[in-house]
Amino acid sequence: MSSKKRQLTGLVSVATALALCFTIAPGAAAAAPDPANEAADLIAEVAPDQGTVVGTTPKGDTLVSSTESGETVVSTDVDEPITFIQNDSDTGGVLEVPLPDEVQLEAPVVADDGTVFYEGVNGTTDVAVQTLADSSIRLQTIIPEGSGASVKFTYDFGADARVLEDAETGQVYVEQGDTIVAEIDDAWAYDAEGQPVPTSYEIREDSIVQKITPTRGTVYPIVADPKFITGTNNWFGGRFVAARFTIAETTRIAAGGAATAAIGTLIGMVPGPHTAIARSVLQGIGATLVLWAGGARALNKCVELRYYYIAHKAYGLYYSGTTKGCR
């Protein structure tokens, strides 16, 4: 063997020995998985319209994300709701969303990008909360393999909240008192390869239930979310009056026999200076109100007629709930 070959063989042996030393040395072990950052990376890769995630600041036992419109407050106690507080204390509202009952979670930790991450107990579904720069909030579930052929998550909004559905567009809103505090964006779910997974929302009383149905080709984990668009209470046009009709009244309006009386009831609620314009707007929507009421009955819900007297616009809204006047 030539001296050059012997030298090369010796170098390879030394390199191999060093590699083995570094491989087994305790200080050189591979870094442990970081579930929070892994979740944030997955969301950034597959979620539609990612947006810019706002960082968090610890305040006592909460994590606070601030935007121009308000603050998202996440408690370190998993039993406490996620809260968005609008900056305008006079007209602003408060959105409260407890974590879904269907999940069991560890205390939250914060990923590098500001995502608040709750790891699921014993490898079950994780939850990731993101406040985006536009003041919207994404409450995402990260669903592992073995979760079942169909998965559901329920989102409540507190005893005083109402979930309303626009009779014309189907858009869903959350209202506290007389303030709409959030618009709920369309349901979405994507798998680990960025492929869409069938999903939909169902309104049950004043809760939203998201159903996710994986297919044979779904690659886990799945990311799904409700996105709450917050930061303004002026979706429709400011101050309003509203007439809510029970299921029996909605049925009569749908039959065409009570629409005129219903509209007259609403006109009587409008403040004096705005009454003339209100009458001219509302007296022309009788046929539309009949259609709205029919749509409500098809969903086993009630209709609310609402008139925004600054914007001079009328809306039909579907609502339900025995404690909210529907029955």
Side-chain angles (χ1 to χ4, degrees):
M1 182 184 292
S2 68
S3 61
K4 186 174 181 180
K5 191 171 183 180
R6 284 197 300 272
Q7 184 181 20
L8 179 60
T9 302
L11 288 171
V12 171
S13 299
V14 171
T16 303
L18 287 171
L20 288 171
C21 288
F22 281 115
T23 300
I24 63 174
D34 181 351
N37 283 317
E38 288 178 358
D41 291 343
L42 175 65
I43 293 166
E45 183 176 345
V46 305
D49 303 322
Q50 162 69 3
T52 301
V53 180
V54 177
T56 64
T57 301
K59 292 186 179 179
D61 58 355
T62 65
L63 301 165
V64 178
S65 299
S66 299
T67 66
E68 290 185 1
S69 299
E71 289 186 339
T72 303
V73 180
V74 179
S75 175
T76 55
D77 183 346
V78 297
D79 293 325
E80 292 297 317
I82 296 156
T83 304
F84 179 80
I85 305 169
Q86 191 171 328
N87 282 337
D88 189 336
S89 59
D90 293 329
T91 60
V94 176
L95 171 69
E96 291 189 350
V97 189
L99 295 165
D101 287 336
E102 295 88 347
V103 295
Q104 292 182 303
L105 303 169
E106 304 286 357
V109 295
V110 182
D112 292 342
D113 70 347
T115 300
V116 179
F117 175 76
Y118 301 82
E119 188 169 8
V121 172
N122 296 326
T124 55
T125 296
D126 304 323
V127 172
V129 180
Q130 294 177 324
T131 300
L132 303 183
D134 64 1
S135 296
S136 60
I137 301 167
R138 297 204 309 202
L139 206 166
Q140 291 139 137
T141 48
I142 303 173
I143 304 161
E145 192 167 8
S147 296
S150 180
V151 187
K152 293 182 180 180
F153 300 102
T154 304
Y155 299 90
D156 297 306
F157 307 100
D160 296 329
R162 301 174 70 225
V163 175
L164 304 173
E165 183 177 354
D166 190 306
E168 290 282 350
T169 67
Q171 183 60 59
V172 178
Y173 302 91
V174 180
E175 184 174 70
Q176 287 278 3
D178 287 335
T179 300
I180 292 177
V181 293
E183 172 185 335
I184 301 178
D185 208 359
D186 295 339
W188 63 259
Y190 286 87
D191 73 5
E193 293 189 350
Q195 297 302 308
V197 180
T199 185
S200 61
Y201 289 141
E202 177 186 351
I203 301 174
R204 295 182 183 173
E205 296 286 329
D206 288 304
S207 300
I208 297 290
V209 179
Q210 184 172 17
K211 179 180 180 181
I212 302 102
T213 307
T215 65
R216 282 189 174 184
T218 296
V219 180
Y220 290 85
I222 300 168
V223 180
D225 89 327
K227 179 179 180 181
F228 302 99
I229 301 171
T230 61
T232 176
N233 70 321
N234 199 32
W235 275 275
F236 294 126
R239 290 171 286 178
F240 68 90
V241 292
R244 299 172 188 166
F245 302 100
T246 65
I247 201 79
E249 292 167 337
T250 299
T251 301
R252 287 196 293 272
I253 294 170
T260 300
I263 290 169
T265 297
L266 189 64
I267 292 173
M269 298 178 180
V270 178
H274 304 279
T275 302
I277 297 177
R279 185 175 291 109
S280 67
V281 172
L282 293 171
Q283 286 182 340
I285 67 163
T288 301
L289 178 56
V290 170
L291 291 175
W292 289 342
R297 288 301 296 117
L299 296 170
N300 197 31
K301 295 184 177 182
C302 298
V303 72
E304 173 179 319
L305 180 58
R306 184 174 292 197
Y307 178 67
Y308 285 79
Y309 53 85
I310 302 299
H312 310 305
K313 290 184 178 180
Y315 294 87
L317 299 169
Y318 299 153
Y319 76 100
S320 60
T322 55
T323 61
K324 305 298 192 300
C326 185
R327 295 291 187 273

